[in-house]
Amino acid sequence: PLDLVVPAGQLLSIVGPSGSGKSTLLGLIAGLDTPSTGEIAIDGTEITKLDEDRLAELRGNKIGFVFQFFHLMPSLTALENVLVPLEIAGAANPMVTVRRLLAEVGLTTRAHHYPAQLSGGEQQRVAIARALANEPPILLADEPTGNLDSANGLHINDLLVGFNRSRGTTVVLVTHDAELAARTD
């Protein structure tokens, strides 16, 4: 059994051997997986009792998710990949937000490139910008540096820690990166 409380604004790392359930735990927190027993509450809302529409709404409003393998849409540019969640949410002036986020992750000059034209580190930065597009209070990251070289991994580490420190975003990440784990609360 696991009893875990993550206070708002915390930067938490989940570490452990392969197969120990780290990614499954993140999927449960995100409402992507359903627990066989127990409860999961996000900001006081018991998510295991929500129907799929309400769960999708909660994820859209409260949770950003960064995957190890980026999951960018290959037929969309970096800018368009970040724009999608804003368009789905019906955000006002979404291009202002997209351009600001791409600037924050250092990709202003790569905005019109497709994922296949971007390095792994650049793709992960697009994925982070997309995850933060709707300004969720919670960011979940599953091995965000797992497929990157050490220089790009360090850049992603700096971004995640920076977003936590500057915005107060609660960040829960699964990592094998000892350096990143050492920087978390």
Side-chain angles (χ1 to χ4, degrees), residues 67-123:
F67 299 92
Q68 180 177 359
F69 296 102
F70 323 131
H71 293 295
L72 299 176
M73 291 179 243
S75 62
L76 301 180
T77 64
L79 183 146
E80 293 164 338
N81 265 283
V82 179
L83 184 60
V84 166
L86 292 164
E87 287 184 332
I88 290 170
N93 301 316
M95 289 304 291
V96 172
T97 301
V98 171
R99 293 194 187 288
R100 178 181 49 78
L101 283 165
L102 288 174
E104 283 185 73
V105 298
L107 291 175
T108 300
T109 62
R110 307 289 279 163
H112 298 290
H113 289 74
Y114 292 91
Q117 298 170 309
L118 300 172
S119 72
E122 289 169 331
Q123 288 181 59

Side-chain angles (χ1 to χ4, degrees), residues 60-182:
N61 292 329
K62 296 198 180 234
I63 300 172
F65 206 107
V66 179
F67 299 92
Q68 180 177 359
F69 296 102
F70 323 131
H71 293 295
L72 299 176
M73 291 179 243
S75 62
L76 301 180
T77 64
L79 183 146
E80 293 164 338
N81 265 283
V82 179
L83 184 60
V84 166
L86 292 164
E87 287 184 332
I88 290 170
N93 301 316
M95 289 304 291
V96 172
T97 301
V98 171
R99 293 194 187 288
R100 178 181 49 78
L101 283 165
L102 288 174
E104 283 185 73
V105 298
L107 291 175
T108 300
T109 62
R110 307 289 279 163
H112 298 290
H113 289 74
Y114 292 91
Q117 298 170 309
L118 300 172
S119 72
E122 289 169 331
Q123 288 181 59
Q124 191 61 296
R125 287 186 276 154
V126 171
I128 290 169
R130 180 187 59 195
L132 293 169
N134 288 327
E135 299 186 10
I138 302 167
L139 180 65
L140 305 176
D142 192 4
E143 290 286 356
T145 61
N147 286 325
L148 304 177
D149 61 38
S150 59
N152 276 308
L154 182 59
H155 193 172
I156 297 303
N157 292 352
D158 289 343
L159 283 173
L160 293 172
V161 171
F163 282 121
N164 168 259
R165 303 295 189 237
S166 67
R167 294 179 178 202
T169 304
T170 302
V171 179
V172 179
L173 57 94
V174 166
T175 187
H176 283 106
D177 185 335
E179 186 175 324
L180 177 53

Side-chain angles (χ1 to χ4, degrees), residues 14-25 68 142-143 174-176:
I14 301 169
V15 296
S18 294
S20 63
K22 300 179 303 294
S23 293
T24 300
L25 176 59
Q68 180 177 359
D142 192 4
E143 290 286 356
V174 166
T175 187
H176 283 106

